[in-house]
Amino acid sequence: MSEASEIPFDPDALRDRYRVERDKRLRADGNEQYVEMKDAFGRYLDDPYVDQSIEREPVFDEVDVVLVGGGFGGLQAAARLRQAGIDDIRIIEKGGDFGGTWYWNRYPGAQCDVESYCYLPLLEELDYVPREKYSYAKEILAHSAAIGEHFDLYKSALFQTEVKRLDWDDDARRWIVHTNQGDAIRARFVSMANGPLHRPKLPGIPGIDTFKGHSFHTSRWDYDYTGGGPDGGLDKLTDKRVAIIGTGATAIQCVPFLGETAEQLYVFQRTPSTVDVRGNRPTDTAWADSLEAGWQKHRMENFNALISGVPQKEDLVDDGWTDLIGKMLQHFRRAKDGDNMDIPTVMEMANFEKMEEIRARVDEYVDDPDVAEKLKPYYKMFCKRPTFNDDYLPTFNRANVTLVDTNGQGVDRVTENGVVVGGVEYEVDCIIYSTGFEVGTSYTRRSGYEVYGKAGRALSDHWSEGTRTLHGMGSYGFPNLFIMNTSQGGFTANFPHLLDESAVHQAHIIKHALEQGFTQVEVEQASEDQWVDTILGFSGGPLGGLGGPDCTPGYYNNEGQPNPTAAQSAPYGGGSIRFFKLLEEWREDGAFEGLRFLS
Ligand code: NDP
C-alpha cells in the first residue's frame, strides 16, 4: 500500500461519505433523546422471568461483605472472596437468579460474541469447557448458576432485591445497605458490581405511549407473547406483524429468529451495524481433554494481547476480533518498516480496507441491491460495537422481512397502530425495542441508587466533574467501598477478564483488612488526585479510545456530543495489559500504597 494508486478505494470519497453520514445523524439532544424507564414506562422494567414475586421479611443483620449485583462481576467477586477464606458475604440481586446481563438478555439468539473459552468466568475452577466456541445465553445462564452452586453462593443471595441507597455510618464504620424490600443490612465492606449496561432505555419517539398493541424491550423478552424460547421457535408470531426498532448488537442476534416465524417483520434501522463472520462451532472434545492447568488465564491473556495490538507467537482464539485488530496491526507495522505514509494514515487506510470488506459481505449475502446498499455501514470500524453473525444479512432475503431504513433519522412517530417512517405507517401487532442501555448518564442514576460516604457526601457530588478513584476501584471519602467498573480502570473487549482482575484485587485488600483487624480502609486523597492526573495524562475517550468526535453518534461517543467529564472518566489509557500488570505489582509490593488503614 505504499502507492496511492494501489489502493482499491477512494479514501477522499470515503472520508466525505463518512462525514455526511455522521452529520445527518448528529442531534442536539444527545442522550436526552432517550426516555428513562420510569413512571408510565416503568413497566418495561418488570421481570418477565420470575413466576412469582417474593414475599419475605426485611433483613437487618450484619455481614463482612455485601456485593451489589449477582452477574459476572458479583459472582467473580464472591468466588475470589470465598477463595480468600471470606465466607460472610451477601449478594443482593434484583433478578430472580444469578446471571446479570445473561439473566436479563435471554432474547432469542443471545450469544456471547467474545469466545466462550475466554469469556465465561471460572471455567477451570468449575472444570467446565463450554459446548461451543460462542455460547448461547442458556448455557451462560446455567454456568452462572453453576458458579453459584460451586461456591455455595445461593445461601448468601437475596434475589428480587434492589439496592436503593448506601449510607456510611462513620461511628460504627459500617455501610448500611437499604433495599426495596425494606432491608437495612450492615456491612463492613461493599462492592458495587452493578454492570455497565444495566438500565435499558427507550427512544423518545413521539407517540410511543399511544401504541395499542404489545411492546417490550429486548432485555425483558416476552416469551408468553412470542412463544418459543432463547433457542428460537417463536411459534406464537406466525400470525403477527412485528416491528423491531434498533439494529445494534442485540438486534443482529435476534432478527434472524424473528424473521423465521413472524408473519411480517419490519426492521427499523437508523444506523447499520458492521456484521462480520461468526463461524461458531462445537467444541472439539479432544482439544478440551488436552487442556492443561492454567489454560483459561493463558488464553484470556493471549486474546487480550492480540486485541491490544501486542504481537503473540500464536493466535489461540483466531476469530473476528483478533483478525480485526491483527489486520490493522499488519498495516501499522508495514508503515513502521518504511512505508512512506505516516502511521495515522496507514491506520486509517487499514480501517477503510476492513470496512470495505464488511460492505462487500453485505453484497455477498443480500440479494436485493437496494436493500444491500442500505445495510452498508459508512463509518470507521470501532465507531460502533462490531458485531458477528452469519444469519442476520440473509434474513433480509426472506419475503416476510422488510428493512425500513430511516436514512439516519430514526423512527418519526409511533401511532396507536404502528410505526411511521417517511410518512408511511407500518401497522404492527407488536413493537420490540432493541434500543440499548443507558451509558452516558451518571453512574448513580445507572446504578439505581445513591451512595452517601463520610459526612453524608454523595458519590454523585464527589464525581460531578468526572470519576475520582484510585485504580477505578475506590474513592476518597468512601471507605470500605469497591467499584467494579471500566471508568479509571481497565478496558478490554473481554469484560469478564477485567471483572476478574478487579475481583482478585479487592479480595486481596479485604482479606488483608480483616486478617489484620482493620475496620476501615480508605483511598488517600493524594493518591486519588494522582490517579486522576494519570488518567487525564492519557487522551483516551470514554471507552478506551473507541468512538470519537468524527464518528456517527452512539454510546461510544456520548451520542456525538461533547462530554466535559469524558477524559476524567475514561479507562486507564495505557491499555488493559499495563493496567493489570500495575495492579499485580501493587499487590506484590505489599505496601498497599495509596490506602489508609485504621484499626
Ligand atoms: P445499542 O445501543 O447498540 O443499539 C441501539 C439501537 O437502537 C441502535 O441501532 C440505534 O441506532 C437504535 N435506535 C435508537 N433510537 C432509535 C430511533 N429513534 N429510531 C430508530 N432506531 C433507534 O443497543 P444493543 O442492545 O444492540 O447493544 C448494546 C450493547 O450490549 C452492545 O454495544 C454490546 O456492548 C452489548 N451486547 C453484547 C452482545 C454480546 O456480547 N453478545 C450482544 C448484544 C449486545 P443508532 O445506531 O443510530 O444510534
Side-chain angles (χ1 to χ4, degrees), residues 25 27 33-34 102 107 111-114 119 197 201 203-205 218 245-251 253 268-271 384-385 406 409-411 434-437 553-556 559:
R25 287 174 172 82
R27 40 193 288 174
Q33 69 181 283
Y34 293 102
W102 298 100
Y107 55 83
Q111 184 188 37
C112 62
D113 63 7
V114 165
Y119 182 83
L197 297 166
K201 60 181 164 48
I205 303 171
T218 46
I245 299 182
T247 50
T250 298
Q253 294 185 330
F268 290 90
Q269 170 182 276
R270 189 164 69 178
T271 309
K384 296 204 169 258
R385 173 64 140 75
T406 65
Q409 303 308 296
V411 163
S434 187
T435 43
F437 303 85
Y555 80 80
Y556 275 10
E559 300 295 337

Side-chain angles (χ1 to χ4, degrees), residues 2-14:
S2 55
E3 295 296 325
S5 58
E6 287 174 24
I7 300 172
F9 48 81
D10 178 349
D12 286 334
L14 285 176

Side-chain angles (χ1 to χ4, degrees), residues 327-336 343 346-347:
K327 261 202 183 137
M328 295 198 181
L329 204 69
Q330 270 174 22
H331 290 289
F332 185 73
R333 288 219 201 85
R334 250 193 258 166
K336 272 191 168 161
I343 289 170
V346 173
M347 289 304 281

